[in-house]
């Protein structure tokens, strides 16, 4: 390349307009090579920069949604692995229309963020805000779409940090749930039609395990809405327990009605929260007492069942040693149960999200005091206040909740597990 070029092979040179100097063909080539080298070096550094930015964007915690938790030592820090949907709320329905027909409702149809995970997180975060301590980290998955933007705006400015894998969020769309509520006076009920969207893809790779291991309690909300997460939870939950992190779960309704998988977690759960219908389906029992007994026989320590306007029941399996047990070197299981009655609600507007509200209230009190009785009281008060609002993620004030607090609504019993549960006839009426 650097050999002298014969005069006959040289190209005619031109004058440099800047200095009037002649530039040889060889000098031109050197300039071209230098220019190409500069471009290559620049491109290399640019590519490295964008790769680093991509890694940051694909980190476990979205930089747009991550909030620096200002939590002092000893304050409750709750992690929720839960579902998020955009709810289309249709209230005031007297009856469902037949195919090809139309029915009117007097209630405006609203578009509201929802899902058991988000609803409970917002209630919990609102109560924490009111008392000035604590934080909530909601591990979930939503899309980068208009519905996802509504969810992000809803949690903005609250104590709820929305944590998700940004790379996965770009590949999915936010789930949607059409929520119907209504019925005759005194017989209010609700029904749902769901497109799971992002929740159908939500799996163990979307969780920041290190972040989860920094909280004091983890709640799994909407277990049956993200089936791809089930296998991961079988290893995640025991790992959390080894780090002395308490764990609870709410199943939600299983659309497949197979009710598989959840029993694998019972031995490691501190408690399971569900409504009466879910308890019957999970245990294949027709009476509440039999259902609670079945839960304990499968290894569940505490079962909490909401029973609508009647309140909620907590059944706790405990072990107490006796003189006879000492000789046999074992403890006898004893079940203690609590029934907290709910105060009467004069006008029920929408029962959608009442169970999620109960869960948020229960988590709030239990994470602070560890007292099941106080937690039942708070859960029932929040759940009762929620049915006076339209939408599962409606905002509640402390005055709303105080009006349904009841200090003398608790019943308590304790006896060996194989007999006391037969006397719980609340669900058998």
């Amino acid at each position: 390349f650097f050999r002298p070029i014969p005069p006959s092979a040289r190209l005619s040179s031109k004058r440099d307009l800047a200095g009037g100097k002649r530039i040889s063909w060889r000098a031109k080539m050197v300039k071209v090579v230098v220019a190409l080298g500069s471009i290559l070096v620049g491109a290399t550094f640019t590519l490295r920069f964008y790769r680093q930015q991509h890694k940051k964007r694909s980190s476990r915690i979205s930089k747009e949604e991550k909030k620096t938790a200002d939590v002092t030592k000893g304050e409750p820090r709750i992690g929720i692995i839960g579902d998020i949907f955009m709810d289309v709320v249709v209230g005031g329905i007297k009856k469902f229309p037949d195919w090809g027909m139309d029915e009117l409702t007097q209630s405006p149809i609203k578009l509201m963020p929802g899902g058991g995970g988000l609803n409970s997180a917002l209630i919990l975060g609102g109560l924490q805000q009111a008392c000035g301590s604590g934080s909530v980290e909601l591990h979930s998955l939503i899309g980068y779409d208009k519905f996802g933007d509504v969810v992000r705006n809803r949690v903005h400015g609250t104590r709820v940090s929305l944590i998700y894998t940004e790379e996965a969020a770009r590949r999915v769309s936010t789930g949607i749930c059409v929520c119907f509520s209504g019925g005759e006076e005194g017989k209010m009920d609700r029904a749902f039609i769901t497109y799971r969207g992002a929740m159908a893809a939500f799996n163990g790779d979307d969780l920041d395990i290190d972040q989860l291991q920094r909280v004091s309690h983890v709640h799994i909300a909407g277990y049956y809405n993200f089936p791809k997460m089930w296998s991961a939870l079988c290893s995640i939950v025991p790992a959390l327990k080894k780090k002395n992190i308490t764990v609870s779960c709410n199943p939600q309704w299983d659309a497949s009605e197979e009710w598989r998988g959840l029993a694998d977690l019972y031995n490691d759960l501190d408690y399971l929260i569900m409504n009466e219908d879910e308890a019957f389906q999970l245990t294949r029992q027709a009476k509440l007492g039999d259902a609670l007994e079945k839960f304990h026989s499968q290894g569940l320590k505490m079962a909490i069942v909401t029973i609508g306007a009647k309140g909620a029941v907590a059944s706790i399996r405990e072990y107490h040693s006796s003189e006879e047990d000492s000789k046999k070197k074992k403890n006898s299981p004893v079940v203690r149960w609590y029934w907290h009655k709910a105060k009467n609600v004069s006008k029920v507007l929408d029962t959608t999200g009442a169970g999620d509200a109960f869960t948020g209230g229960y988590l709030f009190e239990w994470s602070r005091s560890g007292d099941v009785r106080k937690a039942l009281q708070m859960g029932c008060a929040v759940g009762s206040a929620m049915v006076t609002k339209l939408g599962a993620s409606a905002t509640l004030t402390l005055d709303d909740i105080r009006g349904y607090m009841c200090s003398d609504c608790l019943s308590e019993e304790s006896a060996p597990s194989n007999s006391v549960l037969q006397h719980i006839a609340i669900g058998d009426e």
Side-chain angles (χ1 to χ4, degrees):
F1 181 81
F2 291 101
R3 288 181 303 170
I5 302 175
S8 58
R10 293 179 182 173
L11 299 175
S12 59
S13 60
K14 296 181 180 180
R15 291 185 178 276
D16 186 354
L17 295 178
K21 298 180 181 179
R22 291 183 177 277
I23 303 175
S24 67
W25 180 86
R26 184 183 300 165
K28 288 181 179 180
M29 290 301 296
V30 170
K31 281 191 173 185
V32 170
V33 171
V34 171
L36 289 175
S38 300
I39 293 172
L40 182 61
V41 171
T44 301
F45 280 103
T46 301
L47 181 61
R48 182 178 297 176
F49 171 78
Y50 279 107
R51 281 180 177 175
Q52 291 174 346
Q53 294 300 309
H54 177 72
K55 287 181 179 179
K56 291 180 179 179
R57 287 197 302 269
S58 299
S59 62
R60 295 300 185 185
I61 304 175
S62 169
K63 298 303 179 183
E64 294 179 6
E65 304 299 333
K66 183 178 180 181
K67 300 171 184 167
T68 304
D70 183 18
V71 183
T72 59
K73 186 177 180 180
E75 292 184 352
R77 185 176 178 182
I78 312 300
I80 296 179
I81 303 172
D83 53 343
I84 297 177
F85 293 97
M86 178 56 62
D87 286 350
V88 181
V89 182
V90 186
I93 299 174
K94 297 298 182 182
K95 68 172 184 176
F96 282 101
D98 296 327
W99 288 110
M101 305 299 289
D102 189 13
E103 290 288 341
L104 298 178
T105 175
Q106 299 303 313
S107 299
I109 297 175
K110 293 188 175 183
L111 195 65
M112 304 179 70
L118 180 62
N119 295 337
S120 297
L122 289 171
I123 289 293
L124 176 57
L127 291 169
Q128 290 177 337
Q129 184 69 37
C131 74
S133 66
S135 65
V136 188
E137 297 171 359
L138 176 55
H139 298 251
S140 190
L141 185 59
I142 55 176
Y144 276 106
D145 48 31
K146 291 183 179 179
F147 292 152
D149 291 340
V150 174
V151 173
R152 281 181 278 269
N153 290 335
R154 179 66 179 88
V155 302
H156 181 71
T158 70
R159 284 186 175 255
V160 179
S161 296
L162 184 56
I163 300 176
Y164 56 91
T165 307
E166 188 166 321
E167 184 177 356
R170 298 187 183 280
R171 300 195 302 264
V172 298
S173 57
T174 305
I176 303 171
C177 182
V178 184
C179 309
F180 303 96
S181 66
E184 299 298 329
E185 190 68 29
K187 295 182 179 179
M188 300 291 289
D189 209 337
R190 70 272 194 279
F192 308 93
I193 298 177
T194 302
Y195 163 69
R196 282 180 175 161
M199 289 297 95
F202 190 39
N203 62 77
D205 293 335
D206 299 322
L207 296 178
D208 188 331
I209 304 301
D210 291 338
Q211 190 80 3
L212 278 172
Q213 292 179 343
R214 297 190 185 102
V215 303
S216 56
H217 179 81
V218 171
H219 177 67
I220 304 165
Y223 176 87
Y224 283 111
N225 279 329
F226 36 82
K228 288 190 176 180
M229 182 68 73
W230 297 354
S231 59
L233 289 175
C234 288
S235 59
I236 292 172
V237 173
L240 293 172
K241 295 298 295 180
K242 288 181 179 179
K243 291 188 173 292
N244 296 319
I245 298 172
T246 52
V247 184
S248 59
C249 180
N250 170 252
Q252 295 288 14
W253 187 262
D254 181 9
S256 71
E257 298 191 6
E258 295 179 358
W259 303 93
R260 297 181 294 107
L262 187 56
D264 296 336
L265 302 180
Y266 287 170
N267 285 316
D268 293 306
L269 290 178
D270 289 271
Y271 53 90
L272 181 69
I273 303 179
M274 73 219 95
N275 64 34
E276 204 172 11
D277 291 333
E278 292 161 353
F280 295 154
Q281 294 297 326
L282 283 166
T283 59
R284 304 300 182 185
Q285 301 294 322
K287 296 182 178 181
L288 184 57
D290 295 336
L292 293 174
E293 187 173 15
K294 181 69 175 291
F295 279 128
H296 293 313
S297 70
Q298 292 177 310
L300 189 63
K301 302 176 187 68
M302 177 160 55
I304 301 165
V305 183
T306 58
I307 46 180
K310 300 174 185 176
V313 168
S315 180
I316 309 169
R317 184 190 63 186
E318 301 172 334
Y319 286 89
H320 298 300
S321 61
S322 63
E323 185 177 346
E324 183 179 349
D325 290 334
S326 299
K327 296 176 182 178
K328 297 179 181 179
K329 296 183 178 180
K330 67 176 183 179
N331 293 335
S332 297
V334 174
V335 169
R336 180 179 298 276
W337 64 271
Y338 304 94
W339 172 25
H340 194 287
K341 300 177 183 178
K343 290 187 71 173
N344 182 56
V345 179
S346 58
K347 185 176 181 180
V348 176
L349 184 61
D350 183 8
T351 58
T352 305
D356 300 332
F358 171 91
T359 300
Y362 188 96
L363 287 171
F364 171 77
E365 181 58 46
W366 190 84
S367 65
R368 279 166 164 69
S369 67
D371 190 320
V372 175
R373 294 164 295 185
K374 291 181 178 179
L376 285 173
Q377 181 187 37
M378 178 61 75
C380 287
V382 177
S384 296
M386 181 57 73
V387 301
T388 65
K389 308 288 184 180
L390 182 63
S393 62
T395 301
L396 296 178
T397 66
L398 286 179
D399 287 338
D400 293 330
I401 298 170
R402 286 193 189 103
Y404 294 99
M405 295 290 284
C406 180
S407 59
D408 58 352
C409 296
L410 186 73
S411 300
E412 179 180 346
E413 279 287 347
S414 63
S417 60
N418 61 355
S419 62
V420 66
L421 296 176
Q422 303 303 321
H423 299 287
I424 303 178
I426 300 168
D428 307 337
E429 297 176 3

